[in-house]
Amino acid sequence: MTTPAKDTPNATPEKSPTSHGARNLIALGLSATAVAFVTTFVSLMLYHNSGDIYLDRSRPGFLPDAEEAIKEADQFRFSDSGPIDQKSLSEYLDHLKVLQDSLSELDTPYSETPLSDESLGIQENR
């Protein structure tokens, strides 16, 4: 008794499993978007409810403390309007010279000293 060959017309072809790749990819994309939306919403809600939103200094309505405003007033600024004349340029160069002198006084400019809390003016609140 002989068995029929696989490539003969009487042989039944095997069914290939159906692929749902496109549907799975769309489901993955939608679920990732939903998770990102939910986590962003929750984090923004916590940010607002905790009160940290009012401490954020990058917000446009932020007003500096009075002490910070005084420090900013001490800094040299050119006039917002009008020409820059020799007097204002000389004043700027004098301020720049003071800063350069303070930098040149450092023994080791690449040490931790320029970045210490004291040299940066950071005070500990105790």
Side-chain angles (χ1 to χ4, degrees):
M1 201 170 187
T2 62
T3 59
K6 287 188 177 182
D7 42 324
T8 60
N10 293 341
T12 59
E14 295 182 17
K15 292 184 178 179
S16 64
T18 55
S19 174
H20 301 289
R23 185 178 68 186
N24 290 342
L25 186 60
I26 291 172
L28 178 66
L30 290 176
S31 62
T33 303
V35 167
F37 178 76
V38 168
T39 56
T40 303
F41 177 77
V42 169
S43 65
L44 287 175
M45 186 179 67
L46 289 173
Y47 180 61
H48 182 271
N49 292 343
S50 69
D52 287 343
I53 191 169
Y54 301 109
L55 300 175
D56 190 359
R57 294 176 176 237
S58 64
R59 294 183 62 221
F62 172 74
L63 297 174
D65 296 337
E67 183 179 307
E68 289 175 333
I70 291 170
K71 285 182 182 178
E72 287 182 10
D74 292 341
Q75 294 177 354
F76 178 80
R77 292 178 185 238
F78 282 112
S79 172
D80 291 340
S81 61
I84 298 175
D85 56 0
Q86 188 61 36
K87 180 185 173 192
S88 61
L89 187 59
S90 297
E91 187 179 348
Y92 171 74
L93 291 174
D94 291 340
H95 284 279
L96 186 61
K97 179 72 173 153
V98 170
L99 292 173
Q100 285 178 334
D101 290 342
S102 68
L103 291 174
S104 63
E105 290 175 0
L106 296 174
D107 295 332
T108 54
Y110 297 106
S111 68
E112 295 176 356
T113 306
L115 295 177
S116 68
D117 289 345
E118 183 181 324
S119 66
L120 294 176
I122 299 173
Q123 300 173 0
E124 291 185 32
N125 294 331
R126 290 184 184 190

